[in-house]
Amino acid sequence: MGSSVGTADGVGGADGTDRPDGDDRTNAYDSPDGDDRTDANHAPNGNGRTDANHAPDGAYRSDAYDAPDGADLSDEAGEVRLFWEGLGLPGLVDVHTHFMPERVLKKVWEYFDALGPLTGGVEWPITYRAEERERVGLLREFGVRAFTAMLYPHKPGMAEWLNQWAVEFAGRTPDCLHTATLFPEPGVAAYVQKAVDEGARVFKAHVQVGAYDPADELLDPAWGLLAEAGIPVVIHCGSGPSPGKHTGPDPIGRVLARHPRLRLVFAHMGMPEYEDFLGLAERFGEVRLDTTMAFTDFSEQFAPFPRRALPRLADLGDRILLGTDFPNIPYPYVHQLRALEGLGLGDEWLRAVCHDNGAWLFGL
């Protein structure tokens, strides 16, 4: 595993130690005022291939979970466990999974079923369509030691409501890393501080869906607070699947220039501006990237990762984190793992990405 660029102040992990060695959107949140909107922010604007994702034995697994009737998941769970057991790991740490109020998530699924515009007209079967309890149980069956509840507002006045739901979810789901969110609005620093005080361990920001500038001065105190606390922020700021007014590396680069210790985790590897976001990680030692949907057969159809950047990916191996987008993926969970394996960066890199980096970051 290659070395990474360190910060001058040597900020360490969750335990405080140094690390060893135009806008076309529809939104998905029910806000407190009853403004129901559907969201397809994960859908590509190009052609994907759901028929290209196979288990190692060549059998397509799009039916790996089919609620409410259910399907036998023992084979897939066995494949996932075989993957991490083969690496000598105690399990997986997945920093990018979606849990949110049930009526909100169901609206997301309805959008995909209807082949909404951001799906590009491509069939997007939700592989893990099930009730919350079943989805949590499935991650546990896979051997995911820790996961997140990535949720985010699309307008002012929603973040506090979502954060309160997340407190309750984390309380009944101890293996979920307590997740919170934010939006550029008056009072944001106060409710971010409240979330931190209540035990939030990771934040989610979605520049594309929220359609805001991450460098908005309203967010500046919140970024400073999170940088000081050392709490990671998983942020969707790349221009995939559809570019927004404030997506891309430049707006978030301005935030990092002001808060170089901010622990940002670029979702989806910064797709499709992979190399630009790798550059930010090389420049700022507390920046990380998650693997969510990157390198899969599905995403390679519309946003292929440039193979010339593989050496940079190897060199940043201690700052790449496993993310999957479970449950809203159109292929089996194991395919994300096999796609990472297929990069050919070796078992040490895989161990770091699939478990050790996240375990260190969150003090597991």
Side-chain angles (χ1 to χ4, degrees):
M1 180 166 51
S3 62
S4 68
V5 180
T7 54
D9 55 16
V11 175
D15 58 0
T17 61
D18 290 344
R19 185 174 180 90
D21 99 34
D23 186 9
D24 178 18
R25 305 178 336 280
T26 51
N27 296 288
Y29 283 119
D30 290 348
S31 61
D33 61 6
D35 178 17
D36 294 354
R37 299 165 70 180
T38 53
D39 172 60
N41 58 85
H42 299 296
N45 56 5
N47 290 328
R49 276 183 14 197
T50 58
D51 61 348
N53 302 292
H54 296 78
D57 61 2
Y60 179 54
R61 302 295 299 279
S62 66
D63 62 348
Y65 205 94
D66 184 16
D69 294 333
D72 183 3
L73 290 167
S74 57
D75 288 344
E76 187 189 2
E79 290 176 27
V80 173
R81 299 182 76 91
L82 191 64
F83 173 86
W84 55 260
E85 288 172 353
L87 292 170
L89 293 174
L92 302 171
V93 178
D94 190 337
V95 304
H96 195 139
T97 60
H98 289 279
F99 288 90
M100 55 190 72
E102 286 289 275
R103 71 182 186 274
V104 174
L105 189 58
K106 287 178 179 178
K107 288 181 182 295
V108 174
W109 293 343
E110 288 170 5
Y111 187 93
F112 287 127
D113 292 343
L115 300 182
L118 289 182
T119 68
V122 176
E123 255 185 74
W124 190 297
I126 303 298
T127 307
Y128 303 101
R129 190 190 304 262
E131 297 301 313
E132 177 187 290
R133 177 185 55 80
E134 296 172 273
R135 284 179 276 118
V136 170
L138 183 54
L139 287 176
R140 290 170 178 164
E141 189 178 353
F142 286 166
V144 180
R145 293 184 61 204
F147 51 91
T148 58
M150 297 279 102
L151 72 180
Y152 42 86
H154 68 264
K155 66 178 184 178
M158 291 184 61
E160 286 189 88
W161 168 65
L162 293 170
N163 287 349
Q164 186 54 52
W165 180 89
V167 169
E168 296 165 1
F169 179 71
R172 64 178 180 265
T173 317
D175 35 359
C176 176
L177 297 165
H178 180 172
T179 309
T181 190
L182 75 172
F183 194 86
E185 58 190 332
V188 59
Y191 69 69
V192 166
Q193 182 65 65
K194 179 182 178 185
V196 172
D197 292 343
E198 291 177 332
R201 302 178 69 184
V202 61
F203 275 69
K204 167 68 173 180
H206 208 313
V207 171
Q208 181 196 52
V209 167
Y212 59 79
D213 185 348
D216 189 312
E217 62 181 13
L218 286 169
L219 284 172
D220 204 55
W223 294 139
L225 189 161
L226 292 170
E228 184 65 25
I231 296 178
V233 181
V234 176
I235 183 166
H236 186 139
C237 52
S239 298
S242 178
K245 184 177 180 181
H246 303 291
T247 59
D250 292 340
I252 200 62
R254 292 194 293 273
V255 173
L256 286 167
R258 294 203 296 263
H259 303 282
R261 296 171 58 204
L262 183 59
R263 285 182 164 171
L264 293 181
V265 180
F266 296 139
H268 306 277
M269 294 292 302
M271 184 187 303
E273 296 109 333
Y274 300 108
E275 292 177 282
D276 292 326
F277 284 100
L278 287 171
L280 287 174
E282 290 162 346
R283 180 180 172 191
F284 296 98
E286 287 298 334
V287 164
R288 294 161 174 81
L289 304 97
D290 80 32
T291 66
T292 305
M293 294 192 77
F295 319 114
T296 63
D297 292 345
F298 188 86
S299 296
E300 285 289 295
Q301 301 305 303
F302 63 91
F305 184 84
R307 289 315 186 248
R308 64 177 175 267
L310 282 175
R312 299 170 71 187
L313 190 63
D315 286 343
L316 287 167
D318 59 351
R319 286 192 280 133
I320 309 298
L321 302 165
L322 174 66
T324 62
D325 244 352
F326 175 95
N328 303 330
I329 45 178
Y331 45 76
Y333 190 95
V334 72
H335 179 60
Q336 178 75 72
L337 304 176
R338 296 302 181 192
L340 295 174
E341 184 179 50
L343 295 174
L345 297 180
D347 286 357
E348 184 180 358
W349 187 88
L350 286 172
R351 281 191 287 270
V353 170
C354 294
H355 178 270
D356 295 349
N357 294 343
W360 180 87
L361 184 62
F362 293 106
L364 303 177

